[in-house]
Amino acid sequence: MHNSMLIKLQKLKERLGEIQDALVDSDTVKNIEKYTQLNKEFSELKPIVEIFDQYNETVARYEGATSLLESDDDEMKELAQIEIEESQQESEGFERDLKFMLLPKDSADDGSAYLEIRAGAGGDEAGIFAGDLFRMYTRLAEREGWGFEVINTRPAEQGGLKEAVAKLTGKAVFKVMKFESGVHRVQRVPETESQGRIHTSTCTVAILPETEEIQDVDIAKSDLRVDTYRASGAGGQHVNKTDSAVRLTHIPSGLVVECQDGRSQHKNKEKALSLLSAKLKQRDLEEQQESIASERKVLVGTGDRSEKIRTYNFPQGRMTDHRIKLTQHNLDQIMDGDIKSICDALLSENQLAMLSQLEEE
């Protein structure tokens, strides 16, 4: 292990000791905010330090066994050689685990996220596919025990959706979902196709991390235009009686968000403001980091058929993620929300790429 990494791990171990002392201090216990923050830091550092301790124990075993190789006892030397091989293998495993644990973390990973789906190229079939993707993510949320709150939907004329926005709440939602951003392509025979020809359509998916608080982004009232209107779609008599739907326009940026799912105009405005806050924060991050901006441009794109991260081929029952060249032949299960393994594979590939980059540096 590189000396710089050992120094960093030793400092983290010392920091964990400081936190342990602080958590039993009466002044800290009285300060709820500080106590909560220290508890969170403790839970993040503890597993790293535990692996580091195991690594050190294994290194000590390796060094002890190496010294026994000088023994005149052949049986002792044989046992020492076995111990050396075992401890070396274990220490390499612990070192790799520690490298992954020390990778830079996205501060938004632990939180909730907004999901946006928009029909792209392909006409009516793109709208139907947008509805299919929306259901897929709804089923994923059910499987993972996440909350799924619809913010806004715009139905397509021939069924499906022109666009849909939802909030997914739960621990590490953004970490699981963030690589879903991009152009999703479908290949299948539409129900309206009389000659059985396969059509290609696309939808654009964007995943935005939820801001911790709306106050994280300063939105001046003078920069905001608020429009209210009557909700469309399902909703019974209520739809025709109240202007509960809300459209917010951020004048400086031109960003527009809508919320019409709830019956309360006040609640809809709150949801729309939270979504706008997330969009503005994401925009600021992208302006600060050109690499993130260029990556997002590639991932999200324009919805054109030629830009794709994933293809869903219904005639062959196949899904292919083109970024990591992953192909699965369980399309029915995938469309029913069984995509956690795909999300995990994308996350692992990203971590390996980050690790490789760090090792090169």
Side-chain angles (χ1 to χ4, degrees), residues 3 21 35 39 71 105 107 130 181-182 184 210 216 221 226 250 275 293 319 324 329 333 344 347 349 357:
N3 194 47
D21 292 338
Y35 186 79
N39 252 320
S71 171
K105 291 181 174 60
S107 60
S181 288
H184 296 237
E210 180 193 24
D216 286 352
K221 288 185 178 180
V226 182
H250 186 249
L275 175 58
M319 181 288 306
I324 57 174
H329 294 274
Q333 292 96 314
D344 289 344
L347 181 62
E349 189 70 20
Q357 187 177 355

Side-chain angles (χ1 to χ4, degrees), residues 111-116 134 137-138 140-142 146-151 165-174 177 207-208 210:
S112 302
Y114 288 99
L115 162 71
E116 294 183 342
F134 194 65
Y137 291 121
T138 304
L140 171 65
E142 291 173 3
W146 299 336
F148 193 95
E149 181 182 17
V150 178
I151 303 297
V165 182
K167 181 180 178 182
L168 288 79
T169 54
K171 185 169 176 59
V173 170
F174 183 69
M177 289 285 292
I207 306 296
L208 302 171
E210 180 193 24

Side-chain angles (χ1 to χ4, degrees), residues 186-190 193 195-200 313-316:
V186 63
Q187 295 173 327
R188 63 183 171 190
V189 179
E193 173 56 59
Q195 297 181 27
R197 291 175 297 188
I198 296 173
H199 286 225
T200 300
N313 187 301
F314 277 76
Q316 297 178 17

Side-chain angles (χ1 to χ4, degrees), residues 4-271:
S4 59
M5 188 172 171
L6 287 170
I7 292 171
K8 183 173 185 178
L9 287 164
Q10 187 58 41
K11 286 182 178 178
L12 292 180
K13 184 172 182 177
E14 291 168 5
R15 174 59 182 160
L16 185 68
E18 292 172 0
I19 295 171
Q20 284 177 312
D21 292 338
L23 286 173
V24 295
D25 184 88
S26 57
D27 290 336
T28 305
V29 175
K30 292 174 186 175
N31 188 333
I32 299 299
E33 187 177 344
K34 185 178 180 181
Y35 186 79
T36 303
Q37 184 180 350
L38 286 173
N39 252 320
K40 183 181 178 183
E41 190 179 354
F42 178 83
S43 64
E44 290 172 351
L45 292 182
K46 191 169 184 284
I48 299 174
V49 173
E50 285 177 347
I51 298 293
F52 183 47
D53 286 342
Q54 289 177 280
Y55 170 81
N56 286 330
E57 288 172 11
T58 307
V59 170
R61 277 171 46 211
Y62 174 84
E63 292 172 349
T66 303
S67 65
L68 292 176
L69 288 177
E70 300 174 4
S71 171
D72 295 330
D73 187 332
D74 290 341
E75 187 177 349
M76 184 67 72
K77 287 169 71 174
E78 187 179 341
L79 289 171
Q81 189 60 47
I82 294 171
E83 181 68 18
I84 286 170
E85 291 173 4
E86 289 180 353
S87 57
Q88 186 174 16
Q89 190 175 1
E90 285 181 26
S91 66
E92 287 172 357
F94 289 138
E95 182 176 348
R96 187 167 183 80
D97 290 344
L98 287 166
K99 284 180 179 178
F100 278 114
M101 295 171 95
L102 290 177
L103 285 175
K105 291 181 174 60
D106 190 330
S107 60
D109 273 355
D110 288 338
S112 302
Y114 288 99
L115 162 71
E116 294 183 342
I117 300 175
R118 286 185 173 82
D124 294 337
E125 182 63 16
I128 294 169
F129 182 50
D132 292 341
L133 286 179
F134 194 65
R135 180 185 180 277
M136 180 182 80
Y137 291 121
T138 304
R139 293 287 292 119
L140 171 65
E142 291 173 3
R143 288 169 179 265
E144 296 299 313
W146 299 336
F148 193 95
E149 181 182 17
V150 178
I151 303 297
N152 190 49
T153 57
R154 285 177 56 206
E157 291 177 5
Q158 301 299 320
L161 298 164
K162 289 182 180 177
E163 66 176 307
V165 182
K167 181 180 178 182
L168 288 79
T169 54
K171 185 169 176 59
V173 170
F174 183 69
K175 183 178 181 180
V176 174
M177 289 285 292
K178 60 184 176 182
F179 297 111
E180 291 301 293
S181 288
V183 176
H184 296 237
R185 183 176 72 166
V186 63
Q187 295 173 327
R188 63 183 171 190
V189 179
E191 291 182 8
T192 54
E193 173 56 59
S194 59
Q195 297 181 27
R197 291 175 297 188
I198 296 173
H199 286 225
T200 300
S201 307
T202 64
C203 290
T204 302
V205 174
I207 306 296
L208 302 171
E210 180 193 24
T211 55
E212 289 187 6
E213 295 182 10
I214 293 174
Q215 289 78 11
D216 286 352
V217 180
D218 185 22
I219 304 175
K221 288 185 178 180
S222 58
D223 290 342
L224 210 58
R225 186 172 76 238
V226 182
D227 297 307
T228 59
Y229 57 98
R230 290 184 182 178
S232 59
Q237 294 179 346
H238 156 76
V239 169
N240 301 316
K241 285 187 175 180
T242 60
D243 292 344
S244 60
V246 174
R247 180 187 298 110
L248 299 182
T249 304
H250 186 249
I251 298 168
S253 66
L255 284 173
V256 179
V257 297
E258 297 178 83
C259 182
Q260 62 168 332
D261 187 63
R263 293 192 173 195
S264 162
Q265 184 186 113
H266 177 70
K267 289 289 185 184
N268 282 341
K269 185 179 178 181
E270 276 187 0
K271 292 178 186 178

